[in-house]
Amino acid sequence: VIIFLKDHTLSRAFFLLCENIVFAVGDSDTALNVYEKLVQHLSEWHRLFAGRKKHKLSHEQQMGLIAELDYLETYLFSKFGIVNSLKMWTGPLGRPKDFEVGRYCVEAKATGGSSSPAIKISSEDQLDTNGIAKLYLYVCSVSSSSCDGVGSFNLESKIEKVFLKSAAEDPVMGEFFLSLVYAVGYSE
């Protein structure tokens, strides 16, 4: 398989794509396995850039996105760096787990902050542990507050905060982050 760049003004983004593909197929043991993973990964990238969903996220989906962004920002960025962390955020690419860190996976969920917190599992694939070493659950408690409350934020401000951190690291990573957010179905 040969992948080449036609428009050299996109060389940084192309390098990021190639690096991400190498990361995805790195543990393959046969040429067929590499090819299958390559096709799967390119298909995920295609779905990512095929276009945004035109509907607004439901309240539940917004809370789920907040949980994913919180995990990304408060845990992964400090432990793995921004570039690696964004590559680990696989949920927006249609993968069953929100985050894949090698053979370790994380599902990020939000609770409504009620007295009896509960999380919702969307599909059995989220709990499937075949082919992974460990599956972790990250739970983020989210509740309503006034706009001027201490530590309060909304989805838009959380996205902006993570975008600014990503773009400060590398402008291409900022755009990559926004692509992932839009792939989830977020629209401004």
Side-chain angles (χ1 to χ4, degrees):
V1 175
I2 299 173
I3 302 172
F4 61 93
L5 177 64
K6 288 183 178 182
D7 182 352
H8 292 284
T9 63
L10 299 172
S11 61
R12 290 178 61 194
F14 181 73
F15 176 76
L16 179 64
L17 169 67
C18 292
E19 185 179 54
N20 193 260
I21 289 170
V22 169
F23 182 75
V25 302
D27 63 346
S28 301
D29 52 359
T30 66
L32 180 60
N33 194 290
V34 168
Y35 179 75
E36 288 171 347
K37 285 186 176 183
L38 174 67
V39 169
Q40 176 189 6
H41 209 69
L42 286 174
S43 173
E44 290 170 356
W45 275 88
H46 175 74
R47 283 196 317 271
L48 174 66
F49 292 110
R52 295 191 217 176
K53 299 175 185 173
K54 297 297 180 193
H55 67 279
K56 280 223 174 253
L57 293 177
S58 69
H59 178 72
E60 186 176 282
Q61 290 170 319
Q62 289 179 36
M63 286 185 50
L65 181 53
I66 286 172
E68 291 177 31
L69 294 175
D70 190 66
Y71 181 70
L72 190 65
E73 180 188 21
T74 60
Y75 181 73
L76 289 182
F77 279 5
S78 63
K79 184 153 180 85
F80 297 102
I82 291 171
V83 173
N84 289 329
S85 298
L86 291 175
K87 291 176 187 176
M88 294 170 185
W89 189 22
T90 56
L93 298 173
R95 306 285 298 199
K97 310 294 187 285
D98 294 326
F99 297 91
E100 295 178 12
V101 184
R103 291 192 31 167
Y104 296 86
C105 295
V106 177
E107 270 300 309
K109 299 291 182 186
T111 64
S114 66
S115 59
S116 60
I119 60 166
K120 181 179 178 187
I121 304 299
S122 304
S123 75
E124 60 196 44
D125 290 340
Q126 291 182 323
L127 299 178
D128 184 9
T129 57
N130 287 328
I132 63 173
K134 291 214 180 220
L135 174 62
Y136 295 95
L137 178 64
Y138 176 80
V139 180
C140 176
S141 180
V142 179
S143 58
S144 297
S145 72
S146 65
C147 294
D148 56 355
V150 175
S152 67
F153 62 88
N154 60 24
L155 179 58
E156 290 76 21
S157 65
K158 187 72 162 175
I159 289 171
E160 181 178 8
K161 184 177 178 186
V162 177
F163 167 74
L164 291 173
K165 284 184 177 183
S166 302
E169 177 88 10
D170 181 341
V172 172
M173 293 313 296
E175 292 304 315
F176 180 62
F177 166 73
L178 288 179
S179 298
L180 293 171
V181 169
Y182 293 143
V184 170
Y186 173 80
S187 60
E188 300 174 74

